[in-house]
Amino acid sequence: MTERIRELLEEGLRHHVLGDDEMAAECFSKILAEDPTNEKAIRLLGMVRRPRGATTESQGAVAPTRAAAMPQRAPRKEAEEDPEIAAWMKTVEELFSLGDFSGSLAYVEKVLAKDPHHPQAQDYLARNRRTLTQFYESKLGSVYARPRVVVGPEEILWLNIDHRGGFLLSQIDGSLTVDDLYALSGMGRMETAKILAELLEAGVIEMT
């Protein structure tokens, strides 16, 4: 794999995790223009072009590309296996192997809503949340950086920011660090880091 293709893969996954599947698809298409047989780019392009939340059952089996990193399936008796949970866990594994950690997390949460003690789902929950937190924090630079709002109040009114993002934005005064905001937000570390990364990506804040 060339350095350029590796960079395009990383950029595409970054756009996908931040919710911009159009830009993600553009990155994966550029890879296929250079390497039409690149299996990972083909799968990722198919993933970002289907509606978010759609299952992957109709896409066929996906060969794992991160087998060493994926948790092993806990032994479960076939007679006790809930067919719906089994289908969801298959999707969890496929999305995780493709690097779609936010999509994998969404299905993990569906499994745990139905079976809160599912051991494999608990394992994937921790892995997805840890990976996504690291990803968002890498965009922020450092937990000791101090976010600062760089747009006026009138511009903020036109932004599509939910109540959680609005509350977090109201706490940013240029003196608090990212770590301080974790303590103040009332949300989990991953959720707070995600909102800050999105605000940074949108040019609403800058890190000082």
Side-chain angles (χ1 to χ4, degrees):
M1 182 185 298
T2 68
E3 184 65 25
R4 172 172 166 75
I5 287 179
R6 185 177 294 107
E7 289 174 356
L8 285 169
L9 281 171
E10 292 177 357
E11 183 181 353
L13 286 171
R14 177 174 64 85
H15 284 305
H16 175 64
V17 169
L18 291 176
D20 190 346
D21 284 343
E22 184 176 344
M23 287 299 299
E26 184 176 328
C27 292
F28 301 139
S29 295
K30 287 179 180 178
I31 293 173
L32 294 176
E34 297 184 17
D35 180 7
T37 62
N38 189 293
E39 185 177 346
K40 188 165 188 178
I42 292 171
R43 288 173 176 163
L44 287 169
L45 185 60
M47 177 184 72
V48 300
R49 281 182 170 170
R50 71 171 178 261
R52 282 183 178 257
T55 65
T56 57
E57 293 175 4
S58 63
Q59 304 298 320
V62 179
T65 57
R66 300 188 180 190
M70 294 172 60
Q72 297 299 310
R73 181 184 293 275
R76 295 169 71 90
K77 294 180 180 180
E78 190 66 28
E80 299 176 353
E81 190 80 39
D82 183 308
E84 188 172 42
I85 287 180
W88 286 344
M89 285 308 304
K90 179 182 178 183
T91 302
V92 166
E93 295 169 2
E94 290 175 350
L95 293 176
F96 187 92
S97 73
L98 287 170
D100 182 4
F101 305 111
S102 56
S104 180
L105 177 61
Y107 275 92
V108 166
E109 290 171 343
K110 292 177 70 172
V111 171
L112 292 175
K114 193 168 185 179
D115 180 1
H117 305 295
H118 193 290
Q120 190 189 17
Q122 289 284 0
D123 196 356
Y124 272 107
L125 177 71
R127 287 171 178 263
N128 279 310
R129 294 182 70 86
R130 181 169 60 248
T131 303
L132 286 168
T133 299
Q134 292 171 348
F135 176 82
Y136 296 132
E137 288 185 340
S138 73
K139 303 293 104 183
L140 301 176
S142 167
V143 296
Y144 303 111
R146 300 176 189 274
R148 183 171 70 89
V149 180
V150 293
V151 300
E154 66 285 351
E155 294 178 73
I156 292 175
L157 289 174
W158 291 100
L159 298 173
N160 185 26
I161 299 177
D162 64 18
H163 67 282
R164 298 183 310 159
F167 174 77
L168 189 60
L169 194 58
S170 72
Q171 304 302 305
I172 298 174
D173 60 6
S175 67
L176 299 175
T177 65
V178 171
D179 211 30
D180 294 330
L181 291 169
Y182 285 153
L184 289 171
S185 71
M187 297 178 283
R189 188 181 184 99
M190 187 199 76
E191 289 80 5
T192 304
K194 179 177 186 292
I195 291 172
L196 290 172
E198 289 172 345
L199 292 173
L200 182 64
E201 185 88 357
V204 177
I205 63 173
E206 66 178 16
M207 311 306 288
T208 61

